[in-house]
Amino acid sequence: MDYALIIRNWPLFAQGLVVTVSIVGLSLALGAALAIPLALVQAYRVPFMGRVAGLYCYAIRGTPLLVQLYVLYYGLAQFASIRASVFWLLLGNAYCCAVLGFTLNSAAYVAEIYRGVLVSLDKGEIEAASAYGMTRPQVIRLIALPQAFRLSLPAYSNEVIFLLHASVIASTITIVDILGAGRKLNATYYVVYEGFLTAAFLYLAIVIFITLVFRKAERKFLAFR
C-alpha cells in the first residue's frame, strides 16, 4: 500500500465524498417527500391512485437500480424528441440523472416502509382522534404520519445505508463519486488496492456515522416503547 500516494490525492477523494453525500442526501430527501403520498394512497386505499402507486412501487422494487439508471441516462438519450425537449436539461446531465434515478428508487422502498407502518397503527388512536372531532386530514397529519415517522426509523436507517451502497453505480455514468475517485486513482497510477481500499474506508466511515445518528434518534423518538 502506497499511503503517500493516497495522501497526495486526498483532494480527489474529498471531491468524491462531497459528490456522494450530496447525491445520496438529495435523493433521500426527495424520495422521502415523494414516498409520503405514495404510502398514503396505498394505506388508505384511494381508488385508482392507490393501484397506480402500488404498481409503481412494484415495478421499481422489482427491477435493478443499475438498469433504471441506465434507462434514464443512456436509454432516453436515444430519442430525438427527448433531446429536443426541456427534459434534456435534466436527463442530459449525469449528476441530475443520478439524483432522479436514486430518488425514484428510494421513494418506492420508503413508501412501502411507511405503508406498512400506517396499516399497522393502533386503530384505537385513530378512532379516538376521530371521536374527538378531528377531520381525516387532521388525523393523518397530527396522528398517523408522526407515528409512522417514529416507528419507521429502524427500517429507514437500513434504506439510507442501502442507498449509500447503491450509489456506487453513479460512477458508471461518468460521475466521480467516492468509488469513481478510487477508480481514477488506480487507473492513473496503475495500482490495484490504494483506490478501492480508500473508497471502502470512506464508505465504512459514513455508515458508522449514519448508524450512530439513527441510534440516537431511535433512543429519543422510540423511548416510549
Side-chain angles (χ1 to χ4, degrees):
M1 282 285 292
D2 189 346
Y3 296 103
L5 179 64
I6 297 174
I7 294 173
R8 288 199 307 272
N9 288 273
W10 183 248
L12 175 63
F13 286 100
Q15 179 186 3
L17 176 62
V18 171
V19 171
T20 294
V21 171
S22 64
I23 288 177
V24 174
L26 281 172
S27 301
L28 287 171
L30 296 173
L34 180 58
I36 293 173
L38 289 173
L40 288 174
V41 296
Q42 291 184 85
Y44 293 100
R45 299 181 180 181
V46 178
F48 180 70
M49 293 180 64
R51 290 183 177 274
V52 172
L55 180 61
Y56 166 80
C57 293
Y58 181 83
I60 293 296
R61 295 168 65 227
T63 54
L65 178 56
L66 179 61
V67 173
Q68 298 166 18
L69 190 60
Y70 273 21
V71 168
L72 285 173
Y73 187 69
Y74 294 115
L76 296 180
Q78 306 302 314
F79 298 96
S81 58
I82 295 293
R83 297 195 301 273
S85 69
V86 67
F87 298 109
W88 188 244
L89 295 174
L90 178 65
L91 298 175
N93 183 285
Y95 182 91
C96 294
C97 212
V99 171
L100 176 61
F102 294 159
T103 295
L104 296 176
N105 185 273
S106 179
Y109 282 92
V110 177
E112 285 301 302
I113 295 174
Y114 288 165
R115 183 196 64 79
V117 175
L118 286 170
V119 298
S120 65
L121 290 178
D122 185 1
K123 297 299 187 294
E125 292 185 31
I126 307 300
E127 292 173 358
S130 299
Y132 186 73
M134 287 187 177
T135 63
R136 190 167 188 178
Q138 288 177 322
V139 171
I140 292 174
R141 180 169 58 88
L142 299 175
I143 305 296
L145 284 180
Q147 285 274 63
F149 292 150
R150 288 195 293 268
L151 296 175
S152 65
L153 277 175
Y156 185 68
S157 65
N158 290 330
E159 166 60 17
V160 173
I161 294 174
F162 166 78
L163 188 62
L164 172 66
H165 289 164
S167 70
V168 299
I169 68 174
S171 62
T172 65
I173 59 171
T174 73
I175 294 176
V176 183
D177 59 350
I178 293 176
L179 181 60
R183 285 177 171 174
K184 187 174 182 179
L185 177 71
N186 288 352
T188 301
Y189 295 97
Y190 301 100
V191 293
V192 178
Y193 300 107
E194 283 78 356
F196 291 147
L197 289 180
T198 303
F201 171 79
L202 289 173
Y203 283 116
L204 179 61
I206 297 173
V207 169
I208 292 174
F209 175 76
I210 291 172
T211 302
L212 292 176
V213 169
F214 272 96
R215 282 183 180 175
K216 185 175 181 179
E218 288 174 23
R219 285 195 298 268
K220 178 178 180 180
F221 294 109
L222 298 178
F224 67 95
R225 303 192 71 183

